[in-house]
Amino acid sequence: MKQLFFSFAFLVLISISSLAQGYKNPVIPGFHPDPSVCRVGEDYYLVTSSFEYFPGVPIFHSNDLVHWKQIGHCLTRDSQLNLKNSGPSGGIYAPTIRYHEGIFYMITTNVSDKGNFLVYTENPAGEWSDPVWLKQGSIDPSLYFEDGKCYMVSNPDAIYLCEINPKTGEQLTESKPIWNGTGGRYVEAPHIYKKDGWYYLLVAEGGTEYGHKVTIARSRKIDGPYQSNPANPILTHINENAQNNPIQGVGHADIIQAHDGSWWTVFLGFRPQSGSHHLLGRETFLAPVRWDKNAWPVVNGDGTVSLNMDCKTLPLEPQKASSTRTNFNTSALGFEWNYLYNPIVTNYSLNERPGYLRLKASTVQLNHPGTPTFVGRRQQHIECTATTAIELNESSLHDEGGITVYMNNQHHYDLFIRQGEKDKQIITLRYCLGSMQHIEKEVELPTGKFYLQVQANNNYYSFYYSTDNKNYQKLGQMDVRYLSSETAGGFTGIYFALYAASQNPSRGSADFEWFAYSY
Ligand code: 6LW
């Protein structure tokens, strides 16, 4: 009997622990703003904005809404993503992903090209169609399908609605303003949902900084009139109850019903560091939603969220530890790597010197407009370390290659090897802040292979080099705040990027043997 009792208690314990409780926010750390999510059965797909980076619109898959794995990008070809006229924070703004009758649609804006467009596919991890351009303008377009019709909303000033043919882009009805929010500035990020006979219109207001919030209205008819939820905003950290919350600026949400019937929202927020500065861009967060007795959604009880979420989740998928080291012995770079603007593909090679990523020096310096030789990955953790092994190859005097901590072309810290006279090479630490360029340190050494390392914490980036990957010498450290979004402006977040540049046309390149990111 006793034995039976213990086995029963054990079973109860096991089943309680498998009712997964809790998770950590952000669910996709680092520069991943404006998330939008859709569901197909028990599979979830999520997209985020990508601005001037290429390929565009990263797409992630999950089975539990908490753990997301990148499966590709929606915009992988120049014909889909023209960034020729983009500067920092130009290019691709907020995307929406929707699934309808076997087809995935991703609608977004290229603010540096012809505005709003959509692409579609049957396989979200594969290639997406060429752009279908749309007439209704401004940013943050979203789609809603019902009864064989496809509606588009976007926010020229208020939220506008029209009907479109998603295959041709033809606009079938006049654009009609349907709501302009509750009085907050920058009414944007609209999405329409239908539940129990109500059309719900979710928006963001207040701008994407500390005043950000999510509000909602509803109507019996899709084109209004929409009535505001008396309990708006449904999500914000602008108030006293969240003033010390390590997550700020929450807004720009999308809502989804999970396969078990539970409701959730994904949205952006940022994590200030070193005072009120954020470096990692706007990240993707998750919170539970319930519907109150008056059929309005309530986010996480009181409209705030935390880093450690204490709530019931979908059954959590076991996670494999992800490798943080890239050995450049593959035929293609992983999805985490991005170029700036449309890359000049001949400047990048993984097979010219097998086992190395070869970057050909460009005369476009990191500070210049234009397309430098640059390939990087996001900084996703406040405390982390990026290390690489580098050799210069066939370099001319002053050719350089290295690693940059990059917010935009006017704000970056560069740790690099520069070709000196004869067989000398100079390890250099340079800070670029607007019109100020400062060389912090130079160390001249015989030509060779070098290891460059950046360590990040809440307040500083610290820079090291080594000639043996064992003994690292510190070159200097610099405050994070001068690279923050508050200082540098724009909508993006820090990249750790490998680059190669030259003062004059050169045959030189920088060869990277590996890159490691640890946190
Ligand atoms: C996006 C807008 C916003 O289009 O920021 O925070 C803009 N929300 O909705 C750029 O990400």
Side-chain angles (χ1 to χ4, degrees):
M1 187 61 196
K2 210 167 163 189
Q3 208 175 1
L4 200 68
F5 173 77
F6 279 117
S7 338
F8 177 72
F10 183 69
L11 273 178
V12 169
L13 266 180
I14 293 276
S15 45
I16 288 177
S17 64
S18 68
L19 274 180
Q21 299 289 323
Y23 61 93
K24 285 197 187 320
N25 263 322
V27 289
I28 309 181
F31 155 55
H32 290 108
D34 309 322
S36 171
V37 65
C38 74
R39 176 171 77 84
V40 185
E42 300 191 4
D43 292 292
Y44 298 84
Y45 298 90
L46 185 149
V47 290
T48 61
S49 305
S50 51
F51 298 92
E52 69 269 38
Y53 291 94
F54 190 100
V57 186
I59 176 161
F60 299 83
H61 171 263
S62 175
N63 290 113
D64 59 19
L65 288 168
V66 170
H67 302 108
W68 292 93
K69 184 169 183 261
Q70 193 174 348
I71 56 169
H73 291 87
C74 301
L75 308 175
T76 53
R77 311 188 294 276
D78 290 352
S79 62
Q80 297 167 307
L81 179 55
N82 175 2
L83 296 167
K84 219 172 42 224
N85 299 317
S86 169
S89 289
I92 295 294
Y93 278 38
T96 296
I97 187 165
R98 293 292 180 256
Y99 177 77
H100 178 67
E101 293 181 349
I103 297 178
F104 292 84
Y105 295 85
M106 190 286 292
I107 184 169
T108 185
T109 316
N110 185 340
V111 298
S112 311
D113 195 8
K114 289 182 290 202
N116 287 331
F117 67 97
L118 62 82
V119 290
Y120 55 89
T121 185
E122 287 177 18
N123 173 13
E127 291 286 312
W128 292 63
S129 73
D130 271 345
V132 176
W133 293 99
L134 302 161
K135 187 170 136 227
Q136 184 168 297
S138 195
I139 53 168
D140 299 358
S142 182
L143 294 174
Y144 174 73
F145 293 90
E146 188 178 18
D147 292 341
K149 292 185 173 173
C150 176
Y151 298 89
M152 167 185 176
V153 276
S154 63
N155 56 321
D157 41 54
I159 306 303
Y160 279 68
L161 173 87
C162 68
E163 195 191 324
I164 60 167
N165 176 336
K167 287 289 156 55
T168 62
E170 189 189 351
Q171 185 165 324
L172 305 174
T173 59
E174 283 291 298
S175 295
K176 176 177 175 188
I178 53 170
W179 197 41
N180 51 12
T182 64
R185 58 184 176 165
Y186 301 117
V187 179
E188 55 195 12
H191 294 300
I192 288 183
Y193 316 92
K194 193 170 188 187
K195 183 174 183 295
D196 301 329
W198 287 108
Y199 292 93
Y200 288 90
L201 174 58
L202 185 77
V203 305
E205 299 183 45
T208 193
E209 295 90 19
Y210 285 84
H212 215 190
K213 52 192 170 186
V214 176
T215 59
I216 194 162
R218 72 184 176 199
S219 170
R220 290 290 181 195
K221 294 206 323 241
I222 192 164
D223 62 347
Y226 279 87
Q227 302 155 346
S228 180
N229 175 1
N232 274 327
I234 59 169
L235 171 67
T236 190
H237 281 190
I238 193 177
N239 295 320
E240 194 265 337
N241 62 349
Q243 71 187 26
N244 296 320
N245 195 307
I247 307 162
Q248 291 296 323
V250 292
H252 198 123
D254 199 1
I255 289 181
I256 192 163
Q257 185 173 28
H259 59 275
D260 68 349
S262 60
W263 288 81
W264 297 87
T265 177
V266 293
F267 53 93
L268 68 75
F270 55 83
R271 290 180 286 163
Q273 53 184 103
S274 190
S276 297
H277 296 83
H278 73 282
L279 279 288
L280 272 53
R282 296 162 302 156
E283 311 176 278
T284 290
F285 294 81
L286 175 75
V289 172
R290 69 174 169 83
W291 294 83
D292 72 11
K293 61 178 187 334
N294 299 317
W296 290 107
V298 176
V299 178
N300 198 34
D302 69 350
T304 70
V305 295
S306 53
L307 294 178
N308 292 308
M309 296 292 291
D310 184 16
C311 62
K312 182 172 180 253
T313 63
L314 296 175
L316 296 179
E317 296 278 295
Q319 289 304 293
K320 281 196 229 112
S322 62
S323 163
T324 55
R325 189 178 163 106
T326 306
N327 291 315
F328 294 114
N329 53 9
T330 46
S331 57
L333 292 173
F335 296 133
E336 72 274 29
W337 291 92
N338 288 163
Y339 305 97
L340 247 189
Y341 312 121
N342 299 83
I344 298 165
V345 289
T346 49
N347 284 345
Y348 305 84
S349 168
L350 282 164
N351 55 28
E352 233 171 73
R353 181 176 175 191
Y356 289 77
L357 170 66
R358 171 162 287 179
L359 300 189
K360 298 218 171 110
S362 163
T363 52
V364 179
Q365 311 292 311
L366 292 177
N367 280 35
H368 291 176
T371 307
T373 301
F374 171 112
V375 61
R377 58 152 292 154
R378 291 158 175 84
Q379 180 185 351
Q380 294 186 280
H381 305 85
I382 291 172
E383 292 198 7
C384 63
T385 300
T387 313
T388 192
I390 176 177
E391 288 163 70
L392 295 187
N393 172 54
E394 292 196 56
S395 291
S396 315
L397 190 63
H398 303 317
D399 282 7
E400 66 182 65
I403 181 166
T404 175
V405 181
Y406 187 89
M407 180 57 99
N408 61 35
N409 65 351
Q410 296 295 305
H411 299 85
H412 46 96
Y413 302 154
D414 313 324
L415 172 61
F416 58 95
I417 315 295
R418 182 160 60 81
Q419 185 61 46
E421 304 284 352
K422 301 222 172 73
D423 58 353
K424 295 284 192 235
Q425 295 186 330
I426 302 137
I427 307 197
T428 311
L429 174 59
R430 179 178 60 205
Y431 304 139
C432 297
L433 296 168
S435 51
M436 289 192 295
Q437 284 214 19
H438 170 73
I439 303 279
E440 173 70 10
K441 191 91 170 197
E442 293 182 314
V443 178
E444 191 176 76
L445 290 169
T447 290
K449 175 172 176 177
F450 300 101
Y451 302 85
L452 304 177
Q453 185 169 86
V454 183
Q455 293 181 14
N457 66 25
N458 192 58
N459 298 313
Y460 296 105
Y461 289 109
S462 303
F463 301 90
Y464 299 82
Y465 77 93
S466 166
T467 51
D468 58 8
N469 196 23
K470 287 196 190 84
N471 300 303
Y472 277 84
Q473 308 292 323
K474 187 165 180 174
L475 290 165
Q477 70 176 35
M478 186 54 158
D479 308 63
V480 295
R481 52 180 54 193
Y482 305 119
L483 298 187
S484 70
S485 295
E486 287 71 15
T487 306
F491 293 125
T492 59
I494 295 287
Y495 271 75
F496 292 129
L498 308 176
Y499 78 98
S502 170
Q503 306 290 335
N504 299 298
S506 153
R507 292 162 51 82
S509 61
D511 291 348
F512 296 88
E513 192 184 12
W514 50 264
F515 174 89
Y517 176 86
S518 58
Y519 56 94

